[in-house]
Amino acid sequence: MIIVPEQQIAGLLTRSDCFTTVEKVFASMAKGSACNFPVVREAIGYADALYGFKSGFDRESLALGLKSGGFWPGNSAKGLTNHQSTVFLFDADTGRCRAVVGGNLLTALRTAAASAISIKYLARKDAKVLGMIGAGHQSVFQLRAALDQRSFERILGWNFHPEMLGRIETEAQERGVPFEAVELDRLGAESDVIITITSSFAPILKASQVKPGTHLACMGTDTKGKQEVEAELVAAATIFTDEVAQSVTIGEAQHAVAKGLLTEQAIVGIGAVINGAHPGRTTAREITMFDGTGVGLQDLAVASAAVERAIERGIALDIDF
Ligand code: NAD
C-alpha cells in the first residue's frame, strides 16, 4: 500500500494538473462511466464538527475509493486548517487498499479547479471584474484558479469577517490585479464573475444585487442547511452543477428546490457542457450559476494522479499492508 503524506502533495501536482484531471472526471460522469455514491455528512455533536464520506468509482480510470473527513471550525485557532481529510484508494480488481493520500491541499486544489472549469465554460469571454465573497482558507485557491481563466482587470471582495480580506488582497497584489474591499451592492453591480466560498447558513447575495450576464460559482454550500445566495437568485439563473443529486440535497440549489422555484430536471451537469452535449451559456445577458458541491470522484481523480506522480518520481512510500 502506498502512502502519500500531506506535505508531499504540493510538490507533486500543479493547479493545471488538477484542472485537467477534474475536467476529465466531470466528462466521465456525464458519459455515465463514473458514478458518485451517496454522501454521508453529519454533525457529530462534538467540536462543532461536520464529518463524513464521499466515495465513487470511475470505470474509465478505475479510480475507486473514498475521501473521509470534514470541517472543524475551531482548527484555525490551533494553527490547523478547518478542513481535514484523507483519501483512500482501492484496487478495482481485488478490493485491496492501494493508497492512502493526504487530502487537505488536494481538496483545495480540486475545489478551485471545479469553479475554474465553470468559469472556462460558462463565464462571458469578455469578463473583466471578479467578485470574491469569502476570505477563508479556500478563497485564495479559488482566486488563483479563476485568474488563470480570464483576463480579469479588477477584483472586488466582501467577507462576513472583513478583517480576513487581507489574504485576498495579498494574492491579488502578487498577481498584479487591483483589489478593492466593497459592499455587496457594488460587488454585485460591477462583477462579471462572482465566486462564493463561505460557510454561511443564510443567504448573503440577493437576486436584486446581481447584473445580467454574470457567472456565479457558488462553492461554499456543501451541506444540508448551508446557503450563500438567495433562492430567488438561483431561480433567476441557469444552473449547472458537478452532481445533480448533491446539488438538490446538499448544494446551493437545495433551497430553491425546496421552495418550488427550481426543479431537479432543470439542473445541468457541467460534464455535459464539457462533452459538448449542452451549449452552456446561450446569451450574453443570461445569469449562469455553477453549484459546486464537491464530489468524491474529484478527490479520487486528483489523489490517483498524486500517487502516479509519487511512483514516477520514486518517492512513494510503499508498505506491506
Ligand atoms: P474557512 O473556515 O477557512 O472560512 C470560512 C469562510 O466563511 C470565511 O470567509 C468566513 O468569514 C465565512 N463565514 C464564517 N461564518 C459566516 C457566516 N455566519 N456568514 C457568512 N460567512 C461566514 O473555510 P474554507 O476552508 O475557506 O471553506 C469555506 C466553505 O467552503 C465551507 O463551507 C466549506 O465546507 C466549503 N467547501 C466546499 C467545497 C466544495 O467542493 N464545494 C470544498 C471545500 C470547502
Side-chain angles (χ1 to χ4, degrees), residues 82-83 110-111 135 137-138 159 161 199 219-220 222 226 292 294:
N82 291 349
H83 268 279
R110 65 76 148 145
T111 307
H137 179 71
Q138 306 294 327
N159 193 42
H161 305 101
S199 48
M219 304 305 296
D222 56 358
K226 280 190 186 174

Side-chain angles (χ1 to χ4, degrees), residues 305-318:
V307 169
E308 294 322 315
R309 264 310 145 76
I311 293 171
E312 271 164 35
R313 295 198 187 159
I315 57 166
L317 181 62
D318 200 348

Side-chain angles (χ1 to χ4, degrees), residues 243-277:
E243 173 68 80
V244 176
Q246 290 188 195
S247 172
V248 298
T249 51
I250 59 171
E252 197 59 45
Q254 62 181 291
H255 308 285
V257 170
K259 281 185 155 187
L261 299 173
L262 176 74
T263 63
E264 183 169 343
Q265 294 68 32
I267 305 174
V268 182
I270 188 93
V273 184
I274 296 169
N275 289 339

Side-chain angles (χ1 to χ4, degrees), residues 39 43 49 58 69 88-89 94 119-121 132 137 172-173 186 190 194 203 209 227 230 244 250:
V39 174
D58 184 345
F88 298 83
L89 298 172
T94 63
I119 294 169
K120 172 180 170 182
Y121 287 96
M132 293 291 307
H137 179 71
Q173 275 167 355
R186 228 190 106 194
E190 296 182 22
I194 299 174
Q209 291 170 314
Q227 186 172 12
E230 230 180 25
V244 176
I250 59 171

